[in-house]
Amino acid sequence: MEKRKMNKLDAITSLLGFGCMRFPMNEDGSINEKLSEEMIDYAISQGVNYIDTAYPYHDGDSEPFVGKVLNKYDRKDFFLATKLPVWNVEKQEDVLRIFNEQLERLDKDYVDFYLLHALDKSKWDKVLELDVLSVVEELQRQGKIKYLGFSFHDTYDVFEEILTYRDWDFCQIQYNYMDTVIQAGDKGYQLTCERNVPLVIMEPIKGGSLTRLPKDLASILTDYDSSKSLASWALRWVASHNNVKVILSGMSDYQQVEDNIQTFKQFKPLNDEEMAVISHLHDEIISRQKNGCTACSYCMPCPFGVNIPKNFQYWNEASMYGNPERLKNGYQSLKEAAAEYCKQCGACEKMCPQHISIREDLKQIIKDYQKIK
C-alpha cells in the first residue's frame, strides 16, 4: 500500500483512506455491519491505516460502528479521523459536549485527525464568533486531539481566508480532474503547498460521476488502457499531486475496496501521456455543458429567491455526465429556489460577466425537467 509522510506532523498515512459515509445498507436503512466490517478488515489488512468518519454519517450510526470495529486493532496501528458538526454548535460549550459525545460513541480516548466539518463562509464566521478554536486547541494540548484541521466547501477566496488564519495541521478539500476551478481547486492546492499544509482529498471521483461516464466518454480512457477502471484513473490523477497525503474513498461494496486497493498497492503516478488523455476527457466533458455558468454568483441574490447557480449546476452536470437523474434530484431539492419561480425580471442578466441568457436558460431547465420527472 502506497504511504505518504506528512513531514509537518511526522505521520505516515496510507494514500488510500477509508471513508465511512457510504457503507452498504440493509433494507431498513441501517448499516450492513457484517459486510461493512469485512470491507474495513480487508482494507486494513492491505495497509490502509486512515479511517474517516463524522458525527452525522449514516444518521449518527457511523461513529459507534466504526469505533466498535476498530477496537479489535492496536490503537497505534491506525489513524482515526472525525469531525465537529459546526452547524450544531450554538454556544461555545457545545463544542466540548459534542466532542465528548464523539469520544464515547467511538469508544476512544483521543482522535488523531479532528476537523471542523464542511466550513464555508457562514460556518467560519460562527467558528470565529463563538471562539470555537480555543476549545479544540485546548483539547489538542490535552492530547485528546492529535492533529487539527478543517474540511471545506466554498469559494477559493473563503478557502484562502481560512487557510491563512492560523497554522493548520492539515486540511481536506474536494479535488478531482473535473473540479480544478471550483471550490478550493488548483489555486487552493497550490496555496497548501506554499503554506506546508498536508492535504486530505474528498470526492476524488466526484460522488461517483467519474465512474459512470457515458460510453463514448469512458472509451477515451478504456481505449487507451482497458485494464484500468474509471475509478483508478480519477484516483491516480489526484494522487499524482505530491501534497496529497490521503485520498478518501467512500466505498460502498467489496468490489470497490478491491479495485481501490489494486490502484494503490503498486501505485504509479500518471505519466505525461496519461495526463494528456485525462485533459482530453476533461475538455470533452466541459464541451457538453448547457451554458458557461461558473457559479460566480454575481447574479445573486435573485429578488424572487431562485438559486440561479444551483439550477445551472444541476442542468449542466446532467448533460456533462449523461445523467438526467442529476437534474431531476437536484431540481427537486431546490424547492422554492427552483427555476419555475423565476419572474423574468432580468436583474440577473445585467450582472452576469458571462453574458448568459439566464431567463431563457431557466425556461429550458423547466422544460428539460418536465421531460424526466
Side-chain angles (χ1 to χ4, degrees):
M1 170 59 59
E2 179 80 7
K3 289 185 166 63
R4 291 195 175 169
K5 185 174 183 179
M6 298 186 182
N7 293 321
K8 180 179 183 178
L9 309 182
D10 197 30
I12 301 176
T13 57
S14 56
L15 187 50
L16 175 63
F18 201 116
C20 299
M21 68 175 292
R22 296 190 178 102
F23 287 128
M25 308 289 288
N26 296 314
E27 289 184 4
D28 64 1
S30 62
I31 297 171
N32 183 328
E33 295 194 0
K34 183 178 184 297
L35 179 54
S36 299
E37 184 169 356
E38 290 173 356
M39 290 162 56
I40 294 174
D41 287 343
Y42 178 68
I44 291 176
S45 75
Q46 298 300 305
V48 172
N49 67 2
Y50 191 100
I51 314 297
D52 172 89
T53 183
Y55 189 86
Y57 290 174
H58 284 282
D59 296 324
D61 290 338
S62 179
E63 283 183 330
F65 168 69
V66 170
K68 180 176 65 175
V69 172
L70 293 179
N71 277 342
K72 72 175 78 171
Y73 296 99
D74 190 310
R75 184 64 183 89
K76 295 179 181 179
D77 289 344
F78 61 86
F79 295 104
L80 177 59
T82 194
K83 311 172 186 73
L84 175 70
V86 177
W87 55 89
N88 285 350
V89 176
E90 298 301 331
K91 54 185 182 298
Q92 191 183 63
E93 292 79 8
D94 291 338
V95 179
L96 185 58
R97 174 184 60 78
I98 293 170
F99 180 78
N100 285 333
E101 181 186 350
Q102 290 179 286
L103 285 187
E104 184 176 348
R105 285 158 57 147
L106 291 163
D107 193 21
K108 300 292 178 289
D109 296 325
Y110 66 92
V111 174
D112 298 285
F113 289 80
Y114 196 63
L115 301 88
L116 306 183
H117 197 174
L119 289 188
D120 55 20
K121 179 60 176 173
S122 63
K123 294 189 191 76
W124 176 240
D125 287 345
K126 178 190 280 192
V127 166
L128 297 179
E129 178 185 351
L130 299 179
D131 193 16
V132 169
L133 288 171
S134 67
V135 181
V136 291
E137 286 169 349
E138 175 58 28
L139 289 169
Q140 188 173 26
R141 283 190 288 270
Q142 294 173 10
K144 294 182 178 180
I145 294 171
K146 277 196 172 183
Y147 311 120
L148 183 60
F150 65 94
S151 62
F152 179 79
H153 291 287
D154 208 329
T155 63
Y156 170 79
D157 291 342
V158 178
F159 181 74
E160 182 177 2
E161 176 185 346
I162 297 172
L163 194 76
T164 57
Y165 183 82
R166 67 186 299 278
D167 185 19
W168 297 95
D169 295 326
F170 71 105
C171 73
Q172 180 173 310
I173 64 171
Q174 175 174 325
Y175 197 44
N176 55 67
Y177 65 74
M178 291 306 303
D179 291 339
T180 57
V181 294
I182 69 165
Q183 297 195 25
D186 286 342
K187 289 174 64 177
Y189 173 80
Q190 291 300 326
L191 186 64
T192 64
C193 295
E194 293 166 11
R195 294 190 63 86
N196 190 29
V197 178
L199 267 178
V200 177
I201 301 300
M202 57 184 160
E203 301 294 350
I205 56 176
K206 200 173 175 64
S209 293
L210 302 183
T211 66
R212 297 190 295 267
L213 298 173
K215 188 174 181 179
D216 60 326
L217 289 175
S219 66
I220 294 174
L221 302 180
T222 57
D223 286 353
Y224 182 87
D225 187 347
S226 61
S227 69
K228 299 294 190 301
S229 69
L230 299 185
S232 72
W233 278 93
L235 293 169
R236 288 176 63 215
W237 183 91
V238 177
S240 297
H241 295 74
N242 292 332
N243 196 41
V244 170
K245 307 304 181 182
V246 178
I247 301 174
L248 296 174
S249 178
M251 296 169 273
S252 56
D253 63 51
Y254 205 93
Q255 290 69 35
Q256 290 175 7
V257 182
E258 291 178 319
D259 184 55
N260 290 346
I261 294 292
Q262 187 64 33
T263 297
F264 290 110
K265 205 164 185 179
Q266 297 177 325
F267 172 71
K268 293 182 179 179
L270 294 178
N271 59 37
D272 290 345
E273 194 172 88
E274 290 170 323
M275 278 290 190
V277 172
I278 288 288
S279 180
H280 173 52
L281 173 60
H282 171 276
D283 292 347
E284 284 295 315
I285 294 174
I286 290 294
S287 73
R288 300 185 181 201
Q289 287 186 114
K290 292 288 191 176
N291 66 18
C293 177
T294 63
C296 69
S297 294
Y298 288 170
C299 57
M300 298 290 284
C302 165
F304 303 99
V306 177
N307 189 329
I308 299 167
K310 276 294 181 185
N311 277 276
F312 287 160
Q313 176 189 335
Y314 299 139
W315 189 46
N316 280 320
E317 289 182 354
S319 176
M320 291 160 66
Y321 300 104
N323 181 13
E325 288 295 307
R326 179 61 172 155
L327 174 58
K328 177 182 177 180
N329 296 333
Y331 189 90
Q332 290 174 349
S333 73
L334 289 171
K335 299 179 180 178
E336 287 80 10
E340 64 198 80
Y341 291 92
C342 171
K343 302 301 181 183
Q344 298 290 305
C345 71
C348 51
E349 294 182 3
K350 298 174 184 176
M351 304 302 296
C352 178
Q354 309 300 323
H355 306 294
I356 294 170
S357 299
I358 295 174
R359 288 174 288 182
E360 289 303 311
D361 283 357
L362 290 175
K363 288 180 183 178
Q364 189 59 50
I365 288 175
I366 299 168
K367 293 177 182 176
D368 290 351
Y369 170 70
Q370 292 292 339
K371 293 175 184 176
I372 59 177
K373 77 171 186 175

